[in-house]
Structure formats: structure tokens, C-alpha cells
Amino acid sequence: MTESVDVVLIGGGIMSATLGALLHELQPDWKIVAYERLSDVAQESSNPWNNAGTGHAALCELNYMPRTDGPLDPAKAVSINEQFQQSRQFWSSLVKRGVLDEPSTFINATPHMTFVQGEKDVAYLRDRYEVLKKQPLFDGIEYSEDSRVINKWAPLLMQQRRKGEPFAATRVPAGTDVDFGALTHQLFDHLKANGVELRTNHEVQKLKKQKDGTWNVKFRNSLGRTPGQVNAKFVFVGAGGWALKMLQRSGIPEIKGYGVFPIGGQFLKTSNPDVVAKHKAKVYSQASVGAPPMSVPHLDTRVVDGEASLLFGPFATFSPKFLKNGSMLDIVTQVRTHNLWPMLRVAFANPDLITYLLGELTKTHRKKVDSLRVFMPTAKDEDWTLIEAGQRAQVMKKDAKKGGVLQFGTEVVSAADGSIAGLLGASPGASTAVPIMLQLLQSCFPEQYTGWEPALRELIPTYGQKLNDDAAAAEESVASTAATLNIWK
């Protein structure tokens, strides 16, 4: 007989781990099985070297509050920060319950900075600071155009910088560096210890809706090629770029009109202790003309397995694969009659993106270090090596007015009956995994959700509140999670 379970999780990344952890806390009697096609979890986008590890709270990322002709609007930045606070509260609760290890194994205090050059960008950053300093969740943000102050914040930005050029920086001490790979492993370790079955080296190949409303999930063990199947009441597809393929195979009409555009990435990395010791911050700047938001340049402190290093990038690369371990045919096999026109419209409407990618692909190692020298004038070619980052599958979808649009960020696509859902897109996904999965639970489990809310409030004390509307609540929440996670406010 075919095995029957309550929940199937497809993909062993931070999204599946987060949803699994939430469901186990809310419904510990449910049988959950997770499938990962590789030999271990967190090997794609959740791997610490496949992402920048920024705890995205819109403290330093300019694309969440872009320059406009009118007054700057902080709404998007505030929303991202609100979402990250939910993630912090959830992780704090799991630390207190012993689910997660000592906090420094997955999160570390790292100031978030923004650094810009040129009169136009300096004026914009100053205006941004004036708006954000009034928002409770951005309490503590600092601004300076003084080289001596910025040198104290991040010496590598100022050493041997040419005099006379206008520059400015903001700094928020309460930023974080997050190892989403370690976090994913710890969550899955807890789930496995409490009855959740994790089947690595298992690739899901088919999804078919049954007459009773369940899903028949067919898979194959990559070791020995043994096939198998399981029936599930609910399926979550957290397979990165391959989520699109899985949802297309499911046949749900909600996925029609969607496609993805794969963008790879590289980072320059140094572990030179003399260089690393002079920089402790994540410093973001403006993106190049035509560059997607995910390609905003930044010079980052990274802490992985307790060791600090610096990363700079990302530099865009191109591969037709939707995952680092994907197929060269991914970009072709996604094409359907319903998504061909939206994807063509995206190509026609984004010539700057194509130009940007071509420019990135022709950069030599020296040219890439030259880009770093805009941030760090003293950078030496020999100190920095290139590492391959993860693939990002940017969402393309049908649009009533434009025919098709390229969308940045993440989006949950679910069936009308809530029996299957998948996550498409990229940043700030991992940082906001908790609120994303809460929205998914509310959408896919409407009958159970009201009964789950008391437990959710134990896990996320300010659940249902807008922290930014209450300065006292915002201060209390940030201070509480900072104390539990051993990061300063």
C-alpha cells in the first residue's frame, strides 16, 4: 500500500525547514516527510557561501526605499523590517526551547551600513536618513559625511580615498549576519529527532492530485534509482528555482503565466586576517544602471563555522540552470504556451538587464577587484579569490498592462484549495522565511489557523501587531530578541 502522510516538504532549504518547524510546533501529531534530491540539506541557496548572509531588515539596502521624484516613502523598508523582527522572535523562542544551538552558531551582530558617492547620491542618502530616523524600527540609525567618523565605522572604506569627492554613509549597529545553512541544519536536526522523516538523495519527479483531494508524490532514490511514492494531504514545494518545474508538473492553474529568469553570481572573498580585522560591517551601495536589485554591490563581514572572512559582490553570471546542481535544459523546459508571451515581453522590456549581464560576463578578475576598489581603495588583487554563489531564479509573470513583468523578491503560489503551495523568487526570502510561511499557513490552512494563533503568539509574541506603530513595543521586542540571540540592539 502507498504510504500516507499529512505533509510533504520538497526541498531541504531554509523555507522547508522553517515551515516544518512551525508545523511541528503547531501540530506535533502530524506526519511530515521531507525530500531533498542532494546528499544533504542546505546545499543550494541556503548554503552560507551561496548567499551574502545579510539579515535583511532594510537597514542598508537602498532598493527597499528607492529614489523618486516626490517624497521618499519608507513603507516598503518598514514592512521588510517588520518581517525580519518576526523571524528574530521565532528564532529567539526556539533558542529558549533548546531547538536551536548557541545563537552565535547561526547569527552574529554585524553593523549594517550604506555608503554612497557623488552629490546626487549623497543628497538621496541624507533624505533617506531624515525619513528613517523617525521610524521606531530604525532607531539608532546614524549618518555622516565626515571621513573621520566613517573611518571609525569601516576603516577600509576610507584608507587612501581620494580627497574632494563627496561621500556619505549611514550605520545601524543592530544589523546581523546570518548563516542560513547552519540554521537550516539545526532546524532539520530538531525535526528528525522528533519524528519528522528526512529523505536525502530522493528526487520528486511527479505530482498528481487524487480524487480524495490528496497528492500522489512519486520520487526516485538517486542511489540505486529505486522508485517510490507517497500520498500527502498537503505539499510544499521549497525547491528553489525548481519550484516552478514542480508546480508546473502538478498541473494547478495558478502557476500559468509564470516563468523564471536564472541569474548566477560570484563573490570576491578574502580570509587574510589583516584585512578581515579592519572591517566589521555589511556595507551596501547603489546598483549599477540596469542591474537587478539582487546585484547591489556590498562589502560584507561573513561568519561561517565561527570564522570571519570578507565577501564583495555579487558579480552576475549566467547559466541556463535554475539551481547550481540543476539541468542545462531548465530554461528551455519551463516554456509553456501560457508563459511564452510574458517571458518575451520581459526580454523586450529589459534591455538594460541584458547589457548589464553582458558587461558582467566580460569582466576579468582584475576588473572585478577594480569594482571592489570603489569601496576599498587599498584592495590588492592577490588577497581576493572568486567563489561561485548560488543561482537566483527571478520571477517573470503575466501582467495585464505590460504583458509580462520581471519581479524581484519572493512570491507564494498556491492552489485554490490550499492543498499545494510553492515559493518562487529570491531575496529577501531567507531573512523573511517566518512571515512568508505564516502567510502560507493562513492561506492553506484556514480552518486550523484560528486555533493555532495562541501557539503562534507564544512563538512570536508580537504576532498580529505592527511594531513600527508602537515605539515602546518596538524597543522592547528588539531588545528582548537581541538579548536572547546575543546581539546588541
Side-chain angles (χ1 to χ4, degrees):
M1 293 180 63
T2 302
E3 180 185 11
S4 294
V5 301
D6 294 292
V7 176
V8 159
L9 306 173
I10 301 176
I14 186 62
M15 292 298 173
S16 290
T18 300
L19 180 58
L22 280 166
L23 284 172
H24 181 69
E25 294 292 329
L26 299 171
Q27 208 70 49
D29 58 322
W30 281 8
K31 185 172 184 180
I32 302 173
V33 179
Y35 294 93
E36 167 55 51
R37 58 190 288 266
L38 301 179
S39 60
D40 197 4
V41 298
Q43 296 305 296
E44 288 284 350
S45 294
S46 300
N47 183 282
W49 299 118
N50 287 344
N51 61 77
T54 302
H56 286 291
L59 303 176
C60 57
E61 309 95 315
L62 299 179
N63 51 298
Y64 296 131
M65 192 175 166
R67 178 174 23 221
T68 62
D69 294 333
L72 292 175
D73 183 0
K76 180 66 173 178
V78 169
S79 174
I80 294 295
N81 198 311
E82 292 269 13
Q83 293 178 59
F84 187 61
Q85 299 309 319
Q86 288 191 335
S87 292
R88 280 176 53 147
Q89 289 182 31
F90 182 61
W91 300 337
S92 296
S93 293
L94 296 187
V95 167
K96 292 176 179 177
R97 296 182 182 199
V99 172
L100 295 176
D101 297 341
E102 202 280 322
S104 66
T105 61
F106 68 89
I107 189 169
N108 286 274
T110 308
H112 283 195
M113 293 180 58
T114 306
F115 178 73
V116 299
Q117 301 174 76
E119 292 182 2
K120 186 177 181 181
D121 284 342
V122 168
Y124 157 63
L125 188 64
R126 188 187 307 119
D127 291 345
R128 178 180 181 271
Y129 163 74
E130 291 296 333
V131 173
L132 288 181
K133 73 177 185 180
K134 301 172 185 176
Q135 309 300 320
L137 284 176
F138 292 81
D139 181 50
I141 188 170
E142 304 167 88
Y143 175 86
S144 183
E145 298 174 25
D146 188 330
S147 62
R148 293 167 297 180
V149 174
I150 300 174
N151 185 67
K152 290 180 180 178
W153 293 348
L156 294 182
L157 299 181
M158 291 291 106
Q159 291 177 358
Q160 296 185 22
R161 184 162 295 281
R162 188 176 57 197
K163 294 182 178 180
E165 60 178 344
F167 50 76
T170 56
R171 178 178 182 266
V172 182
T176 54
D177 176 76
V178 184
D179 183 343
F180 291 105
L183 185 59
T184 300
H185 275 98
Q186 290 179 31
L187 290 173
F188 270 117
D189 286 346
H190 169 71
L191 291 173
K192 288 189 294 181
N194 287 273
V196 173
E197 190 171 355
L198 171 63
R199 299 173 181 174
T200 55
N201 293 307
H202 281 68
E203 181 176 338
V204 173
Q205 297 182 315
K206 292 183 180 180
L207 295 165
K208 186 175 181 180
K209 188 74 173 289
Q210 305 298 293
K211 291 181 179 180
D212 62 359
T214 63
W215 286 90
N216 180 251
V217 181
K218 291 187 176 179
F219 56 85
R220 185 179 295 276
N221 188 331
S222 59
L223 303 178
R225 311 300 294 171
T226 307
Q229 59 183 315
V230 63
N231 287 339
K233 296 176 183 177
F234 174 76
V235 175
F236 172 68
V237 186
W242 273 23
L244 175 73
K245 297 171 66 171
M246 292 289 102
L247 291 173
Q248 285 179 335
R249 291 175 187 176
S250 75
I252 61 172
E254 289 79 7
I255 198 61
K256 290 184 177 180
Y258 283 86
V260 296
F261 183 76
I263 300 176
Q266 293 177 326
F267 284 102
L268 286 170
K269 177 188 175 186
T270 183
S271 298
N272 183 328
D274 294 333
V275 178
V276 174
K278 295 177 182 178
H279 187 81
K280 187 174 183 181
K282 288 183 175 292
V283 184
Y284 278 59
S285 190
Q286 287 279 38
S288 304
V289 176
M294 62 163 286
S295 296
V296 169
H298 44 98
L299 177 61
D300 291 351
T301 296
R302 290 291 278 124
V303 180
V304 177
D305 296 331
E307 296 187 8
S309 59
L310 301 184
L311 293 186
F312 176 77
F315 300 97
T317 62
F318 179 76
S319 166
K321 298 179 180 181
F322 290 172
L323 297 168
K324 283 183 77 171
N325 296 282
S327 166
M328 296 295 286
L329 298 176
D330 283 345
I331 198 168
V332 176
T333 56
Q334 72 168 323
V335 178
R336 302 288 189 275
T337 55
H338 56 71
N339 65 10
L340 178 59
W341 177 243
M343 290 193 292
L344 290 174
R345 288 300 303 157
V346 167
F348 292 143
N350 292 274
D352 287 349
L353 176 59
I354 305 301
T355 302
Y356 164 77
L357 284 174
L358 291 174
E360 289 287 282
L361 292 173
T362 58
K363 279 185 177 179
T364 62
H365 182 272
R366 182 171 182 80
K367 286 289 185 182
K368 291 174 180 177
V369 180
D370 283 344
S371 298
L372 167 60
R373 277 189 270 266
V374 174
F375 272 74
M376 178 187 166
T378 58
K380 298 178 181 179
D381 292 21
E382 59 269 23
D383 284 336
W384 298 82
T385 57
L386 276 172
I387 63 171
E388 294 293 328
Q391 285 288 99
R392 298 293 184 268
Q394 303 296 152
V395 176
M396 298 182 286
K397 67 178 185 178
K398 190 182 296 183
D399 181 81
K401 293 183 178 179
K402 299 180 180 180
V405 293
L406 184 64
Q407 175 177 292
F408 298 100
T410 51
E411 181 172 349
V412 173
V413 178
S414 58
D417 65 358
S419 63
I420 186 171
L423 186 78
L424 304 179
S427 181
S431 298
T432 55
V434 174
I436 290 171
M437 292 301 104
L438 289 176
Q439 292 172 8
L440 181 149
L441 290 174
Q442 191 170 21
S443 173
C444 294
F445 298 94
E447 295 181 0
Q448 295 95 332
Y449 199 78
T450 300
W452 287 343
E453 287 185 335
L456 287 174
R457 288 191 178 90
E458 289 185 14
L459 292 164
I460 304 166
T462 65
Y463 170 78
Q465 302 176 35
K466 293 292 185 183
L467 284 173
N468 203 60
D469 293 342
D470 185 336
E475 182 178 10
E476 181 182 353
S477 173
V478 172
S480 175
T481 55
T484 301
L485 297 174
N486 294 333
I487 51 178
W488 61 75
K489 178 183 171 184

